[in-house]
Amino acid sequence: MKKEPGPIGIFDSGYGGLTILHGIRQLLPEYDYLYLGDNARTPYGPRSFDVVYEFTRQAVQRLFEMGCHLVILGCNTASAKALRSIQQIDLPQWDPDRRVLGVIRPTAEVIGSLTKTRHVGVLATEGTIKSESYTLEIQKLFPDIQVSGVACPFWVPLVEYNEADSPGADYFVKKRIDEIMRKDPEIDALILGCTHYPLLMPKILKYLPVGVRVIPQGEYVAESLKRYFEQHPQIEKRCSRGAHVHYLTTENPQKFKESAKLFLHEDVEVENITLG
């Protein structure tokens, strides 16, 4: 694997990680980034732990081979089901000087300052909710916070098929908002535990009770990465600075370009690759 400085890798099963990339670039625009979307095998949410781990492992290894020293799993399902195994099993074998980070911990770290009632809700994919990763991470840091989660199985397809603004989306968004508020009416902070969900923000805000704060992840992951670089300058030095972004997809590049525009509001050039 290459030793010279390389781009920061951002991996997601689909397009949602683009919201993480956008947040990071807003705060840290000077670095190079390499985004990889495993769009051919999305969604990861309903898949087993073993399959998500294997798919994520393949993607991280490819990003390392392409020069990344740091990879961020911009995917909640991959962070929940694969991050720990990759950190503990694979990194020591591949290269103990490289790093893989997730998106769940940064959100958990700030939640204590964002809730007054100490009741927090999480809307996420089925896989992330079943893993209880948010509950574990939050209660590790803030044992007094009560966490309730609800899976939103139709939200990702609504975004990826460009139906986020359609009238039909209202039914699915309202249904899950009502469900989580019934589960715990004292919730005053709601984590969007899937990187696709910010694109449904207008409808989420439409049906959410007044006084409940919505927490998308992009800005918190970016702030966490900035702190990480300050605490680990040896990792920061291995990240190249050219303000360049390169995009990779396992699906059709034209389809990726069209969908990426929904997330980034800009045209991108993308290259097709295969994993596995």
Side-chain angles (χ1 to χ4, degrees), residues 15-189:
Y15 303 102
L18 293 169
T19 62
I20 299 297
L21 173 63
H22 178 72
I24 293 173
R25 285 178 68 197
Q26 293 289 105
L27 188 65
L28 302 167
E30 67 271 27
Y31 296 94
D32 293 321
Y33 297 94
L34 182 57
Y35 182 90
L36 169 55
D38 189 11
N39 308 88
R41 301 189 293 194
T42 197
Y44 279 17
R47 295 185 183 272
S48 70
F49 272 75
D50 288 345
V51 170
V52 171
Y53 165 54
E54 182 54 33
F55 286 1
T56 306
R57 184 179 180 276
Q58 291 169 4
V60 171
Q61 191 168 25
R62 176 62 64 87
L63 288 168
F64 282 166
E65 289 169 353
M66 297 183 76
C68 299
H69 295 268
L70 169 67
V71 172
I72 296 166
L73 304 184
C75 171
N76 284 271
T77 303
S79 296
K81 294 184 175 183
L83 177 61
R84 193 176 297 266
S85 295
I86 288 173
Q87 288 175 332
Q88 295 177 352
I89 299 170
D90 299 306
L91 279 182
Q93 299 176 24
W94 289 341
D95 185 342
D97 292 328
R98 297 185 191 241
R99 296 289 183 272
V100 182
L101 306 175
V103 292
I104 293 174
R105 178 80 182 191
T107 313
E109 287 174 345
V110 300
I111 198 65
S113 63
L114 302 176
T115 172
K116 292 179 180 177
T117 65
R118 316 308 278 176
H119 289 253
V120 171
V122 179
L123 297 177
T125 64
E126 180 185 0
T128 299
I129 295 300
K130 282 185 175 178
S131 75
E132 297 190 336
S133 295
Y134 274 99
T135 302
L136 295 170
E137 287 292 339
I138 290 171
Q139 293 187 339
K140 204 184 298 178
L141 299 167
F142 307 103
D144 63 315
I145 291 181
Q146 183 172 318
V147 183
S148 301
V150 164
C152 306
F154 294 104
W155 285 22
V156 169
L158 284 172
V159 172
E160 299 220 337
Y161 287 99
N162 199 15
E163 295 290 332
D165 295 326
S166 70
D170 286 70
Y171 169 81
F172 294 103
V173 172
K174 184 178 186 301
K175 181 177 182 180
R176 300 308 175 187
I177 295 287
D178 290 349
E179 183 179 346
I180 199 159
M181 295 312 299
R182 278 197 308 270
K183 204 168 187 179
D184 184 355
E186 292 186 62
I187 287 171
D188 72 342

Side-chain angles (χ1 to χ4, degrees), residues 225-244:
L225 179 58
K226 185 178 180 182
R227 289 194 303 272
Y228 184 85
F229 280 160
E230 290 167 355
Q231 295 163 5
H232 302 86
Q234 76 279 12
I235 302 295
E236 191 275 337
K237 287 176 185 173
R238 298 192 193 114
C239 299
S240 56
R241 294 168 175 247
H244 178 72

Side-chain angles (χ1 to χ4, degrees), residues 249-268:
T249 178
T250 57
E251 240 280 9
N252 181 286
Q254 185 58 38
K255 185 176 186 303
F256 184 95
K257 288 174 72 170
E258 293 168 2
S259 297
K261 195 160 188 176
L262 297 174
F263 290 83
L264 301 174
H265 307 293
E266 64 179 89
D267 292 316
V268 303

